[in-house]
Amino acid sequence: MTLIIDLLQQMSVFVVIAYLFTKSPAFRPLTSEVLPFRQKFLLYLIFSSFSILGTYFGLPVKGAIANTRAIGPVLAGIIGGPGLGLATGLTGGLHRYTLGGFTALSCGISTTLEGLVGGLVYQHLTRRNLADKRFSPAVVLATTFAAETLQMTVILLLSRPWQDAFALVRTIALPMMLTNSVGAALFISIIRDQKSVRDRVGVISSAKALKIAEKTLDLLSQGFNRETATRIAEVIYRETGVGAVAISNADELLAFTGLGADHHLPGSPVQSPLCKTAMREKRVVFADGHQRKFICTVSEDCPLGSALIVPLMCDDEVVGTIKLYEPKQKLFLNINRALGKGLAHLFSNQLLRSRFQSQKDLLLQSELRLAQAQVNPHFLFNALNTIRAIVTRDAEEARSLLLHLSTFLRKNLKRTGDLASLAEEVAHVQSYLKIEEARFADRLQVSFDIDPALEPLQIPVFTLQPLVENAVKHGIANLLEGGHIAISAREREDFVEIVIEDNAASYCEQEQQNGLGIDLVDKRIRNIYGPSYGVRLSCLPEQWTRARIKLPKPGGPKP
């Protein structure tokens, strides 16, 4: 009983060490199922030290040492796997061997095997997707008890004289099996509890970040200005509970909410040395209020005492900052510190995405303007020649064609905005086709089948004309007779479909490489409505070519 009490006192030292260990940065690797080599090496040093200290703190008994050495190797194996457990056990065993005694060899071997036992339990649990059971006190207690039983068996098998080995085991077996098992279980219990606390904090922090992101990301797509910054600052202030939140661009304060709002006024220039340092050096600046104080440059009576300033980056350029503040009498929580950094990273990515989207929109608009302004010289030449031929025999028809030509050119050059009604797009195409019908005469017939309910539908401007022009230029122009173009618009189950079909079937492969035809229309639709919509071209050789335009139903995705 005395030996058990002495060993329990020794084990209590390890419990204190375990508690301190969970407060150190070295604890963090334990939360991962797969450990990098660097973290495994750190854990090897820690648990090897536990094993060696367990020997040093041991009690001399019958020419041997009663100890708590097994805690280190078993825990190393259970937490880090067979390799870590074996390495830790071998180190602790070699150290024990150097101390001598008739059990030196058997204890050295058994300590190594104890680390391996812990590692085998790790393998068993991970292969069955039960890795979290590594942190179960019951599992660790049973594993350590089994490992200590193995050690007693090895001592009986290898130590000589056998009578002395038997007398030693009879004395130390139960005390060591109990204290090592209980000590390892308490150690892992402390680790598990601290891990649970960290996990809960992480969940809370992630939930806050997701909630803030959900409420703010759409705002950034509207631009980085005072209005959006104010709304974002209010969301962060409400969700984090910090003393104040500020957002600035590179030159001035865009928004401020919370304590000190009476003198931190939007529109005022950025003056804080901490803020300037964060932007100049492109790094997070933290003034905890103790070692580094936040000093307000606007008012001596400012209630704020600590600050976290995180730069907002876009293309490696500082475009502003997010600043979280706490009052002088309140500690700045680490969870808010980590959350502030995460939000700044999130917003920086969103700003970069918004900039990319703006550039993409400008490029598409430039392509659209080019396409609108680019009147095909051959079309204009053919149209004028057609009108000249008709004017001598039918002046009225010639005047009508001139009217259609002028209407087509005017709409081509002066259409403004990104959207037009389907009715307007059809009217634009009709002006073009009237001229082509006159040019091709009996070689071209056109039919329209447009659902009247869809005529008000807003679609991207310049959607139909390039596809109809392709049908004429690459399809009907190659036929000697019987050319036909059919344009229809129908509402399907969950989308609107516009189809432009001709009976030439001679330009499908060629059009797939056309940059200003179907490709431009497809890119613009996808850019506005998303990847589920766009243009798909299909052909049935010698029968038809069909361009299908898929658009959202009225009330669907907005541009």
Side-chain angles (χ1 to χ4, degrees), residues 493-535:
E493 183 176 352
D494 56 356
F495 63 93
V496 170
E497 183 181 60
I498 302 174
V499 178
I500 300 169
E501 180 179 322
D502 68 76
N503 63 339
S506 60
Y507 71 96
C508 190
E509 293 183 3
Q510 180 180 358
E511 176 53 26
Q512 287 175 344
Q513 301 176 352
N514 190 325
L516 285 178
I518 186 174
D519 185 56
L520 175 59
V521 176
D522 183 62
K523 282 196 300 183
R524 294 186 64 241
I525 293 174
R526 289 174 180 272
N527 187 51
I528 294 175
Y529 298 112
S532 299
Y533 304 96
V535 180

Side-chain angles (χ1 to χ4, degrees), residues 8-188:
L8 286 173
Q9 289 176 341
Q10 181 190 128
M11 181 264 293
S12 65
V13 176
F14 282 94
V15 174
V16 173
I17 293 174
Y19 176 77
L20 296 176
F21 171 63
T22 59
K23 299 296 184 181
S24 71
F27 168 74
R28 293 179 184 175
L30 302 186
T31 59
S32 175
E33 186 172 331
V34 180
L35 300 174
F37 174 78
R38 183 177 178 180
Q39 293 175 341
K40 280 191 175 183
F41 182 71
L42 177 60
L43 294 179
Y44 160 75
L45 295 177
I46 292 171
F47 287 119
S48 294
S49 300
F50 289 167
S51 182
I52 293 171
L53 287 174
T55 301
Y56 273 129
F57 292 161
L59 304 171
V61 178
K62 298 182 181 298
I65 302 174
N67 60 81
T68 54
R69 181 175 57 247
I71 293 176
V74 173
L75 289 177
I78 287 180
I79 292 172
L84 182 59
L86 193 62
T88 303
L90 181 61
T91 302
L94 287 175
H95 172 262
R96 170 64 186 89
Y97 180 76
T98 62
L99 297 180
F102 81 101
T103 60
L105 178 61
S106 59
C107 287
I109 294 174
S110 62
T111 302
T112 305
L113 292 176
E114 286 179 315
L116 183 60
V117 168
L120 293 176
V121 171
Y122 167 93
Q123 274 192 340
H124 174 78
L125 294 174
T126 53
R127 286 175 179 175
R128 285 161 177 76
N129 296 319
L130 299 172
D132 285 344
K133 290 289 186 181
R134 296 176 299 155
F135 299 98
S136 167
V139 170
V140 172
L141 186 145
T143 303
T144 310
F145 193 89
E148 280 294 274
T149 301
L150 177 63
Q151 175 169 278
M152 299 305 150
T153 303
V154 172
I155 291 175
L156 288 175
L157 291 174
L158 299 181
S159 298
R160 294 294 180 270
W162 188 86
Q163 293 82 358
D164 292 346
F166 180 76
L168 174 66
V169 169
R170 189 171 60 179
T171 303
I172 68 172
L174 185 59
M176 285 184 59
M177 291 164 68
L178 288 176
T179 54
N180 277 280
S181 300
V182 172
L186 286 174
F187 196 122
I188 208 70

Side-chain angles (χ1 to χ4, degrees), residues 268-390:
S268 58
V270 174
Q271 297 178 353
S272 169
L274 296 177
C275 191
K276 290 182 178 180
T277 299
M279 290 192 291
R280 182 178 63 253
E281 299 181 5
K282 299 180 180 180
R283 65 178 179 86
V284 176
V285 174
F286 179 55
D288 60 5
H290 299 285
Q291 295 180 346
R292 188 176 191 181
K293 295 185 179 297
F294 166 74
I295 300 175
C296 180
T297 58
V298 182
S299 172
E300 294 181 356
D301 298 325
C302 183
L304 303 176
S306 56
L308 176 74
I309 299 102
V310 188
L312 291 172
M313 307 291 296
C314 188
D315 282 338
D316 200 36
E317 170 192 355
V318 177
V319 297
T321 62
I322 290 181
K323 294 171 276 191
L324 306 184
Y325 299 93
E326 288 289 14
K328 293 177 180 178
Q329 71 276 13
K330 186 177 179 181
L331 181 68
F332 204 113
L333 298 178
N334 282 332
I335 186 174
N336 285 332
R337 185 176 175 181
L339 185 61
K341 294 178 182 178
L343 288 175
H345 181 69
L346 185 70
F347 292 154
S348 293
N349 288 339
Q350 182 65 12
L351 286 171
L352 181 61
R353 179 179 177 276
S354 296
R355 177 177 290 186
F356 170 76
Q357 188 65 39
S358 296
Q359 292 173 344
K360 183 179 177 181
D361 291 343
L362 288 174
L363 177 61
L364 286 175
Q365 291 299 323
S366 298
E367 291 179 344
L368 176 63
R369 298 292 178 251
L370 175 62
Q372 288 176 317
Q374 185 182 32
V375 179
N376 191 312
H378 293 290
F379 165 72
L380 185 58
F381 176 78
N382 292 333
L384 292 175
N385 272 344
T386 299
I387 294 171
R388 185 183 64 177
I390 291 176

